[in-house]
Every structure is written in C-alpha cells, then in structure tokens.
Amino acid sequence: MPSILLKSAKILDTESSYHLKTKDILIENGVISQIEDSINAGDKIIAHENLHVSNGFFDSSVSFGEPGYEERETLANGVTTARRSGFTGFLLNPNLNPVTDSYSAVKFLQQQIDTQLIQIKPIGALTRSFDGKNLAELYDMQMAGAIGFYDFKTSVKDANLFKIALQYVKGFDGLIFSYPQDQSIAGKAQVNEDKFTTYIGLKGIPSLAEELQIARDLYILEYTGGKLHIPNVSTKASIQLIKEAKVKGLQATSSVALPHLFFSSNQLEAFDSKYKILPPLRTEEDCIALKQAVLDGTIDMVTCDHEPMDEEHKELEFENASYGSIGLESAFSVLNNLFGVEKASELLSKTKLCFGLETSQIEVNQRADLSLFEPNLEYKFQKKHIFSKSKNSIFLGENLKGKVLGSIYNNSFYEN
C-alpha cells in the first residue's frame, strides 16, 4: 500500500500524548511512522480544511443480509458502507438465514469476513434458530470466533434457560446478550405507551416491559455470576436498574441506540414508518435521561443499531411496516449534534474496549486504525448520503452536523 500523509490533522485521542494537537501524520505499511508539525513525504496526501482524526469507530450492533436476505444488504456493500462512514470494525448480529447458531455457521461467516479489510466480530445465536428453548452451540461458536451470544431483539422467556446459559458460558468466559423486553407485557403493541401515543390512538408497549426484563436478568446474573450485555436500553427506570447493578459489582454492560437519544415518541404524529423501531421511541423524559446516562458512564456505549430493511417491508402503513433503521452513515453526525466532536469521537471509538478487543493509540509505531472527519459541516441528511443498499434511515430529512471523510485500517484507506 502506498504511504499516506495526513496534513494538519487535529488529533482526538485521550490516551495519546498528541490529544487535541494539530499534526502531520505519516502512515507506512499500515503503521504510524511519524507525527510531526510538518512532514514532506507520502505517496498519497490527504489534506482537508479542519481535518480531524480519531481512533477508528466501532459499533456493537450491525445487521446485514448475507446470507439469506441479500436484497437488504450484502456483506461487501455493507463493509464499504461502514468504512466510508468512518467505522473500522463492528459486531455482526446473527439475524441471518440460516441463523448464525452453530460452529459451521460462524466459520462460514469468518471465512467471508477474512476477505474484508475491516474488523468484524460475529455474534452467535443464544438458542437454536432463536427458538428460546434449546441452547445453541455456544462453546463451539466461541472457538470459531463468536464474541458473544444473542437472540437478536428477542428476549429469553425461560428464566431457567437464561440461568443455565449464564452458568455454562462462565466456564469459557463467554458473554450473553439479552434483549430487554418482556414480550408477555409488550404483546402486539408497536409503540411506547405514553400520553402522546394514547392521544393519537396507537396501542402502546409500557416501559415496564423493558424494566421487568432487565430486573429479572440482572437478578439472575447476581445469582450466577458471569458477563451480561444489555443492548438497546431505552427508559429512565432501566438506567437506575443498571446503575444499581454496577454498584453491586456485576459484570453488566449496556448500550443505547442513537435514535433513542435523538427522537421521542412525539415523532409518531404523522404515522411515518421510518420511526418504527425496536425498542420503540420513548418519551422526552426518557430521552433526556438516556443522554445523561451516556455522559456519566452508566450506559457504556452507543450504537447506530444498523438494521437494513428493503422497501417492500418498510414503506408500508405504520402497523404493517417492519421495524428497523440503518444508522452507519449518520452515526458520527448525530453524535456530533448531540455531544460535540470530542465526545462523539470518544463514544464511537471506545466500544471495542467494552468487548476486550485490541486497540491502538495515535502514536508513532502504533497500528493505523483511524477515522477521518470534518466536524463543522452542516447539512440535511438525504438519500444521496446513504451508501447502504437499503435506504430505511430514521434520520432522513434531519439537519445534521459533521462529515466523515474516510477511514484507515488494515493497510487500506476508504475515502468519501
């Protein structure tokens, strides 16, 4: 690979001695070889006004469609989308066809992943075909490369099965993901239960459905020990439960999806299906509490919760439309809007630490794992900004701030 020179790049890396300094950065053979005030070298020169650089973005919840749902997204285009959006790695959900629930399924994915210039860690299913009854090949999948086990956006109803799963994976330091929704309480409702959704006539899911599931799971975790990740936390009371678990010293991490930091259920007035996601959009009070929990560290990470859905399943009447929104392309801009560039880059790059994955600093002789962006550009997010095969973004039409310029990883450079 030709050497790359980043000219006058402001460095955002709290672990680096160059944090908040503007420097030239030379990258040779995938490694940072020089960081100086001025460097006159490099086969490819990247020079942008107000260029910023941080550690590579990493996301904890990305769904594609291959194998089985290629009409939604392919692996190759999904990877290109991620890299152009500043991401140098992510966890890949098991909601494929067939479901990623065996050693052979993880191995097949790993073989496809190894040809891509990005760090992808597959998540295996917790139960066979998400049936909620029979544990999948957990140990074998971890040996094949799975980072954890998750029945994507489906909670485990059987408390004893959940207990056994936590006890079993302790033997090989496995990680269980548990989606926070008690389906017996949620029923067939599709939005949050609050004054606004009641006013517009939509049957709601009470926040109790999430909080009861989290309380049960944390109580079992306290009994069994082990490691638990709670994805897509979305209510104020859930935050308090997680805070109490951390005080107890439980090994529990959690994430919040970007739409729940940006929108409330008030967006549903027009019954636009782009706002139909799981968990549902909650109240403004929940939204404010979630942002504070991100800032104080109660919630460990944010996720774009990238979930492509083709038009045939998404562009329908609200009650018939599928759940889900893509989010890779808008992730940096949304967080930049909410928290500013320093916090946005920190949140997007620290996720890999939560999963014990190797990281590098922006220092000489360190591996170049970098995201490049200009934080001040303001624009309206439109379909022309989407690289995904599916276009189902909840952020379409929103005024955002900050543009990703590209990413550098594994001796390769992707540029917008």
Side-chain angles (χ1 to χ4, degrees):
M1 176 184 175
S3 59
I4 299 172
L5 178 64
L6 307 182
K7 291 293 294 182
S8 299
K10 186 170 184 177
I11 296 169
L12 300 177
D13 177 5
T14 56
E15 299 300 314
S16 169
S17 59
Y18 299 101
H19 181 52
L20 298 180
K21 296 179 180 179
T22 300
K23 298 286 185 178
D24 285 6
I25 303 172
L26 182 63
I27 300 163
E28 298 179 289
N29 298 317
V31 175
I32 298 172
S33 60
Q34 294 183 55
I35 301 177
E36 303 289 348
D37 289 335
S38 181
I39 300 173
N40 294 312
D43 300 311
K44 181 174 182 60
I45 298 174
I46 301 173
H48 291 275
E49 185 176 352
N50 201 29
L51 173 63
H52 285 56
V53 59
S54 77
N55 289 306
F57 300 162
F58 191 96
D59 197 89
S60 64
S61 180
V62 170
S63 299
F64 290 155
E66 186 180 359
Y69 304 108
E70 287 83 359
E71 71 278 6
R72 300 175 186 176
E73 186 59 280
T74 61
L75 180 62
N77 189 67
V79 166
T80 299
T81 296
R83 291 295 306 269
R84 292 183 67 181
S85 302
F87 288 86
T88 60
F90 53 83
L91 305 188
L92 183 64
N93 288 314
N95 52 325
L96 299 166
N97 188 17
V99 170
T100 311
D101 62 357
S102 65
Y103 177 90
S104 59
V106 174
K107 268 298 185 186
F108 172 79
L109 272 181
Q110 203 70 64
Q111 289 168 0
Q112 310 307 309
I113 288 166
D114 288 346
T115 66
Q116 308 295 323
L117 299 175
I118 194 169
Q119 184 181 28
I120 304 176
K121 295 293 183 180
I123 304 172
L126 182 60
T127 64
R128 296 177 194 168
S129 301
F130 300 161
D131 67 5
K133 298 176 182 178
N134 303 284
L135 290 181
E137 299 175 8
L138 306 187
Y139 176 77
D140 289 345
M141 285 193 290
Q142 182 148 317
M143 293 303 99
I147 200 163
F149 313 105
Y150 179 32
D151 285 359
F152 180 73
K153 294 197 175 179
T154 305
S155 58
V156 179
K157 297 177 184 178
D158 188 328
N160 189 55
L161 183 70
F162 185 70
K163 173 182 73 72
I164 291 170
L166 281 168
Q167 290 173 324
Y168 176 57
V169 301
K170 275 182 65 180
F172 50 92
D173 198 31
L175 173 64
I176 300 292
F177 291 63
S178 181
Y179 181 65
Q181 180 166 287
D182 185 317
Q183 196 57 44
S184 66
I185 292 177
K188 296 182 179 180
Q190 299 180 337
V191 299
N192 185 54
E193 180 185 84
D194 56 51
K195 290 181 180 179
F196 182 76
T197 55
T198 301
Y199 170 75
I200 61 176
L202 293 173
K203 185 178 181 181
I205 302 172
S207 60
L208 176 66
E210 173 171 308
E211 294 144 16
L212 190 62
Q213 188 74 37
I214 291 176
R216 188 208 76 168
D217 291 351
L218 290 174
Y219 198 83
I220 294 174
L221 178 68
E222 187 174 3
Y223 174 80
T224 61
K227 296 191 300 185
L228 175 67
H229 178 67
I230 306 170
N232 301 89
V233 172
S234 67
T235 78
K236 183 178 180 180
S238 295
I239 296 166
Q240 186 59 37
L241 291 168
I242 292 166
K243 187 176 292 186
E244 292 168 1
K246 287 179 178 288
V247 170
K248 292 178 180 179
L250 301 184
Q251 293 188 78
T253 57
S254 61
S255 68
V256 59
L258 289 180
H260 294 96
L261 299 173
F262 201 87
F263 299 112
S264 73
S265 59
N266 292 346
Q267 301 295 136
L268 298 173
E269 186 172 14
F271 301 96
D272 190 333
S273 63
K274 75 177 181 179
Y275 297 113
K276 187 176 180 181
I277 60 173
L278 273 180
L281 295 175
R282 303 292 189 179
T283 67
E284 188 63 34
E285 183 182 11
D286 290 317
C287 190
I288 292 169
L290 289 165
K291 284 184 276 193
Q292 182 56 45
V294 168
L295 290 173
D296 67 26
T298 301
I299 292 177
D300 300 274
M301 66 195 84
V302 297
T303 173
C304 65
D305 199 28
H306 186 82
E307 189 176 358
M309 196 60 60
D310 56 281
E311 290 184 5
E312 289 184 4
H313 289 89
K314 192 65 179 177
E315 294 190 4
L316 301 169
E317 300 84 357
F318 190 90
E319 62 270 23
N320 296 322
S322 295
Y323 296 100
S325 169
I326 58 172
L328 288 168
E329 297 95 324
S330 53
F332 169 71
S333 299
V334 170
L335 278 172
N336 189 35
N337 262 44
L338 291 170
F339 300 117
V341 63
E342 287 185 51
K343 190 64 177 178
S345 60
E346 176 193 343
L347 289 169
L348 287 167
S349 60
K350 78 172 187 176
T351 299
K352 59 175 78 75
L353 289 171
C354 298
F355 294 98
L357 298 173
E358 181 184 354
T359 63
S360 57
Q361 285 73 53
I362 304 179
E363 297 279 3
V364 174
N365 295 326
Q366 290 278 307
R367 180 169 52 93
D369 177 359
L370 306 171
S371 298
L372 315 178
F373 45 89
E374 194 287 301
N376 294 334
L377 178 68
E378 297 182 358
Y379 68 105
K380 179 175 284 190
F381 189 70
Q382 299 173 312
K383 285 189 176 181
K384 67 180 181 180
H385 300 118
I386 293 176
F387 316 126
S388 299
K389 191 172 180 181
S390 295
K391 311 299 178 185
N392 58 310
S393 173
I394 195 172
F395 295 104
L396 280 171
E398 295 297 323
N399 293 316
L400 301 179
K401 182 180 180 182
K403 180 185 179 183
V404 172
L405 301 172
S407 62
I408 298 172
Y409 180 77
N410 201 17
N411 213 23
S412 66
F413 172 56
Y414 277 67
E415 183 177 17
N416 276 340

